[in-house]
Amino acid sequence: MADYSFKLPDLGEGTVESEIVVWRAAVGAHIEADQPLVDMLTDKATIEITAPVSGTLLAVAGEPGDVIPVGAELAVFTAVSEHHPVTEGRPSPARQAGPDMLAGANEQTDTSSPHAADSSLPRPPEAAAASATKADATAVRTIKLAGLRRKIAAQMTRSAGTIPHFSYVEEADVTELERLRLHLNETRGNDRPRLTYLPFFMLALVRVAREFPQCNAHFDAEGQFLRQFNPVHIGIAVQTQNGLLAPVVRHVETLDLWQCAHELQQVAQRAKDGRAQREELSGSTITLSSLGALGGIVSTPIINYPEVAIIGINRTQQRPTLADGVVCNRLVMNISSSFDHRIIDGHDAARAIHALKRYLEFPATLFLSA
């Protein structure tokens, strides 16, 4: 009876290939049908695939980081007996890559130093210790990009390599916005999340998108057409232990300030916990990026392909400002932005950011009906 060759199944949504994240069973081990076999990464979601049969795992197609086409051999099992009928390997529900799933990234130490001594010759302990120290000083680690980090690298390369970025930085006086934010946080109920600047930016972006619809769009370079969206689906760049993700808050145009804060908190936490579903990590029409207290003075955010605009929030700082002939301290923030120059000219980019600035400097306007 021939051994059983298990092919990578179709994982849905037009997937043609998938990356090995981690094997859940070792070659030579006995595995039961429906027992976890391997985690495969498609897009930014990890899918657990179970064993299709019971038997000994004889061979696997690759190691973590290798990409396998759909329909290609994934694993080989011992011959299937009549007591172990063949079943389809079932993908489990998609889940975000967890910490252990990225542990498969291969690390190798290059010890091929030209200074390495001939190990066949006896050496005194002092010489051996000195040689080991010298070898450590010249060692090089080669780390294979795998899992989510490889996906992030590919996405950044695609964005930076294909989109001609135009960056624009504007200063905004957020003194009144900060007063409002602090007041709302002090008077909020226990059922409401604490407000950061992000929910205010989200409301402001909805209004800017109405004035500059070309900013809330996707550009198809191959077909040479622009998709402008009425809904505003905002991607929020979130740093997780596995890398940068951009979970999406959908239909922000239908949300009030507190709802923005709640939805933002929910999607960000799921991304950090590794529980974000595939649909929560795609479909944004414009992206907000904030480094919080580490926001720096200025940044040059990379556009989230195929979007055409991204807004970066830098840290606030007190500055002496001349107003009506009087010097006073004001709280200011730089807003860093990048635009796809194929779609948005510099003049329009500046106008859009100035509109965003007006809403932030006069935050009461955020709550006026359109």
Side-chain angles (χ1 to χ4, degrees):
M1 186 178 294
D3 294 329
Y4 177 64
S5 174
F6 176 48
K7 307 296 195 297
L8 177 65
D10 185 351
L11 302 178
E13 298 190 7
T15 300
V16 297
E17 62 183 18
S18 184
E19 178 184 332
I20 298 171
V21 178
V22 65
W23 288 100
R24 296 297 185 183
V27 172
H30 180 81
I31 185 170
E32 295 293 333
D34 295 330
Q35 179 180 329
L37 172 66
V38 63
D39 291 337
M40 304 295 295
L41 182 67
T42 63
D43 194 7
K44 290 183 179 178
T46 298
I47 297 176
E48 182 183 84
I49 295 179
T50 59
V53 295
S54 297
T56 301
L57 182 60
L58 298 179
V60 296
E63 61 185 17
D66 289 344
V67 176
I68 308 297
V70 170
E73 184 175 85
L74 184 61
V76 179
F77 295 84
T78 51
V80 181
S81 70
E82 59 182 2
H83 302 293
H84 300 290
V86 175
T87 60
E88 293 293 331
R90 292 201 299 267
S92 298
R95 53 190 169 85
Q96 182 54 45
D100 58 323
M101 298 177 189
L102 295 183
N106 295 332
E107 296 190 10
Q108 302 173 0
T109 301
D110 184 358
T111 57
S112 57
S113 168
H115 304 289
D118 186 351
S119 59
S120 64
L121 300 176
R123 292 174 296 170
E126 296 81 2
S131 177
T133 301
K134 194 171 185 179
D136 289 342
T138 59
V140 176
R141 283 197 310 164
T142 301
I143 302 174
K144 181 177 181 178
L145 289 187
L148 183 58
R149 176 51 58 188
R150 187 182 68 82
K151 290 287 185 180
I152 292 173
Q155 175 70 358
M156 292 298 101
T157 300
R158 186 180 190 186
S159 296
T162 61
I163 300 175
H165 284 58
F166 170 79
S167 296
Y168 182 83
V169 182
E170 182 58 73
E171 180 183 275
D173 184 333
V174 294
T175 306
E176 299 305 321
L177 179 62
E178 175 67 355
R179 287 174 181 168
L180 176 60
R181 187 183 74 87
L182 292 176
H183 172 73
L184 292 175
N185 278 336
E186 290 171 357
T187 58
R188 69 189 172 93
N190 293 331
D191 59 334
R192 288 179 166 175
R194 290 190 64 83
L195 295 170
T196 64
Y197 287 114
L198 281 169
F200 294 97
F201 269 81
M202 293 166 71
L203 290 185
L205 275 183
V206 168
R207 285 154 177 78
V208 171
R210 292 187 188 130
E211 299 177 40
F212 301 90
Q214 68 270 35
C215 295
N216 189 51
H218 289 175
F219 179 54
D220 186 314
E222 183 176 348
Q224 289 294 297
F225 58 83
L226 187 70
R227 291 189 181 95
Q228 292 185 359
F229 298 92
N230 287 331
V232 181
H233 306 315
I234 298 181
I236 307 293
V238 175
Q239 186 65 43
T240 74
Q241 59 184 337
N242 297 321
L244 187 67
L245 298 177
V248 183
V249 179
R250 300 185 183 278
H251 290 287
V252 180
E253 76 280 0
T254 68
L255 305 179
D256 63 23
L257 181 69
W258 295 107
Q259 290 169 331
C260 284
H262 174 76
E263 292 300 315
L264 170 62
Q265 184 183 69
Q266 294 297 307
V267 298
Q269 194 60 53
R270 284 195 292 272
K272 291 177 181 178
D273 293 344
R275 296 182 293 110
Q277 298 298 307
R278 184 182 305 180
E279 59 272 15
E280 293 179 296
L281 298 170
S282 61
S284 55
T285 57
I286 191 169
T287 296
L288 272 174
S289 177
S290 172
L291 293 176
L294 299 175
I297 298 174
V298 66
S299 58
T300 53
I302 297 177
I303 296 169
N304 187 14
Y305 182 94
E307 297 167 25
V308 298
I310 184 171
I311 309 299
I313 303 175
N314 298 113
R315 70 168 180 257
T316 58
Q317 49 190 325
Q318 291 282 348
R319 285 191 198 160
T321 304
L322 183 64
D324 298 326
V326 178
V327 176
C328 57
N329 280 332
R330 304 291 290 181
L331 189 67
V332 297
M333 170 197 291
N334 283 345
I335 302 170
S336 299
S337 59
S338 294
F339 297 89
D340 187 333
H341 215 342
R342 296 171 297 183
I343 304 302
I344 302 170
D345 296 328
H347 179 261
D348 289 336
R351 289 176 59 223
I353 296 302
H354 274 269
L356 179 67
K357 171 182 175 177
R358 288 196 305 273
Y359 286 116
L360 298 174
E361 292 188 334
F362 300 94
T365 59
L366 293 173
F367 305 96
L368 299 176
S369 57

